[in-house]
Amino acid sequence: MVSVSLHTSYTFASCQDMIAKGMQAHCLYTGRSQHMHEEFGTVLHRGFKTWVRNLNICIPYMLNSFISLILYLLFFAIMGLLFFTSSTGTIIDPATLSDEEIFAMMWEGFSKNLGLSVSLLLAVFLFAALTQSYFTAGAIGMAKKASETGDTRIADMLDSGSKNIFRLFLTVLLTSLILLVGIIFLVPGALAVGNLSALVENPEASIHGMTALVIGVILWTVYIIIVNLVLSLSSYALVIDELGPLEALSTSVIFFINNKLDVFFMWVFTIGLVLINNYVGELAGPGNGMIAAVTLFIPPAILQPLTAVLWTRLYMTRRGKKLYDPSELLLDPDSF
């Protein structure tokens, strides 16, 4: 084992010089910054080891996926009863109908039950968002505890989830509204295209309108990417610092401004993991049910908890929070 004396370190020598010049406060800040700040590679390395040590962080994501699956199955079952039930009350088998008959029956069922369909859709969306907020807050709470102490328990999920569910839910709604603002990019193209009669009467003008519409879609896509990137730390800021929704959004913006490259690299790393998982699923082909099931299982079991730990550690180290360091273990830090 190699022993390095603190008295020979560059930080110690710098602080000694500052103390001699009467700069004790600046010395304290310098020492704390050197201890707390981690390079991006160190964040990935220590975050990965923290995740390996705490695989139970996948539990909130697995529970959320399971509840969401049941919720959507119930939703489609109810919608199927509304759309494919005849006036006599008997259920019609869609396999016996042509595509045109299916679409006509779905439209008739939707128009007859418009209020119920919209209410049901809204209720499912709100309940799913509320459930996701609870488990996301719980997972971030577990990642925070693991990053601080090296270990986390289910009790941390229950505590963090119950304490932050409504604030995180409001943050999700605000973020969704901000994303929807980008629909204004589609308005010029939609107005230029007009209706089908205008397309027949003036095809050239409609082509220009379609071009404007395509440009609007591209601009909206870029807008969505930028908003997601800038607000990517809002959930972590809310849970870790116990902020309100607006404070969490503004903190995420400020954090991004001060740490653009780190946030961008982490975002690319996260998206890259998802794309690789999707590519493996497509490469295996739709006929391979086993591979398809595995690729659906990987995000909540591996990718989401891993990236939650990495985002949490990045946020905490850049905010000067207390962090768990494997070198603080009595045992070999590479042994766990």
Side-chain angles (χ1 to χ4, degrees), residues 285-336:
N288 195 326
M290 180 64 70
I291 299 296
V294 170
T295 53
L296 287 176
F297 176 78
I298 286 177
I302 298 176
L303 300 186
Q304 291 176 341
L306 172 60
T307 54
V309 172
L310 296 178
W311 279 113
T312 298
R313 191 168 192 97
L314 176 65
Y315 181 83
M316 292 182 70
T317 185
R318 296 299 181 266
R319 298 278 289 182
K321 304 288 185 180
K322 175 189 173 184
L323 283 171
Y324 161 76
D325 187 345
S327 64
E328 296 172 356
L329 285 176
L330 296 178
L331 300 175
D332 180 5
D334 293 324
S335 63
F336 71 92

Side-chain angles (χ1 to χ4, degrees), residues 7-165:
H7 299 279
T8 61
S9 68
Y10 171 78
T11 302
F12 180 80
S14 299
C15 287
Q16 286 289 90
D17 183 59
M18 292 177 189
I19 292 174
K21 297 178 180 179
M23 301 170 63
Q24 289 89 342
H26 186 70
C27 171
L28 179 62
Y29 174 77
T30 301
R32 186 173 183 268
S33 299
Q34 292 288 338
H35 177 70
M36 293 296 182
H37 190 278
E38 295 177 348
E39 297 297 330
F40 185 76
T42 304
V43 171
L44 293 181
H45 176 68
R46 291 182 176 175
F48 177 80
K49 297 179 77 175
T50 300
W51 167 70
V52 171
R53 185 180 175 89
N54 298 274
L55 296 178
N56 57 346
I57 299 178
C58 73
I59 292 176
Y61 292 109
M62 295 294 291
L63 290 175
N64 180 61
S65 298
F66 179 71
I67 294 175
S68 298
L69 177 61
I70 294 178
L71 182 64
Y72 290 132
L73 287 177
L74 288 175
F75 171 74
F76 286 116
I78 295 174
M79 296 301 288
L81 289 175
L82 291 176
F83 292 164
F84 297 105
T85 301
S86 66
S87 57
T88 61
T90 58
I91 299 176
I92 301 173
D93 184 7
T96 62
L97 304 175
S98 64
D99 293 341
E100 292 78 8
E101 290 174 326
I102 290 177
F103 286 124
M105 183 167 291
M106 289 180 63
W107 175 252
E108 182 181 0
F110 180 77
S111 58
K112 285 183 177 180
N113 302 278
L114 180 60
L116 180 60
S117 299
V118 172
S119 300
L120 184 62
L121 183 62
L122 183 61
V124 168
F125 169 77
L126 292 177
F127 184 78
L130 195 64
T131 303
Q132 184 177 3
S133 298
Y134 175 81
F135 288 114
T136 299
I140 296 174
M142 293 181 72
K144 175 188 176 184
K145 186 74 171 186
S147 299
E148 288 175 337
T149 66
D151 296 290
T152 186
R153 301 175 302 168
I154 299 300
D156 299 319
M157 178 195 78
L158 300 176
D159 179 62
S160 180
S162 59
K163 188 163 55 176
N164 298 288
I165 176 173

Side-chain angles (χ1 to χ4, degrees), residues 182-194 203-221:
I183 203 171
I184 61 175
F185 293 116
L186 303 182
V187 173
L191 294 177
V193 170
E204 184 177 351
S206 296
I207 290 175
H208 291 303
M210 287 299 297
T211 302
L213 188 61
V214 170
I215 294 175
V217 171
I218 295 173
L219 291 176
W220 193 13
T221 303

Side-chain angles (χ1 to χ4, degrees), residues 167-243:
R167 288 185 289 115
L168 186 56
F169 174 70
L170 292 176
T171 303
V172 171
L173 292 183
L174 286 174
T175 303
S176 301
L177 291 175
I178 292 172
L179 292 173
L180 284 176
V181 169
I183 203 171
I184 61 175
F185 293 116
L186 303 182
V187 173
L191 294 177
V193 170
N195 52 34
L196 293 177
S197 59
L199 177 63
V200 175
E201 296 173 1
N202 193 353
E204 184 177 351
S206 296
I207 290 175
H208 291 303
M210 287 299 297
T211 302
L213 188 61
V214 170
I215 294 175
V217 171
I218 295 173
L219 291 176
W220 193 13
T221 303
V222 173
Y223 172 79
I224 290 174
I225 293 175
I226 293 175
V227 170
N228 278 312
L229 187 60
V230 173
L231 300 181
S232 55
L233 272 300
S234 58
S235 300
Y236 297 90
L238 184 141
V239 175
I240 295 172
D241 287 334
E242 299 184 358
L243 304 176

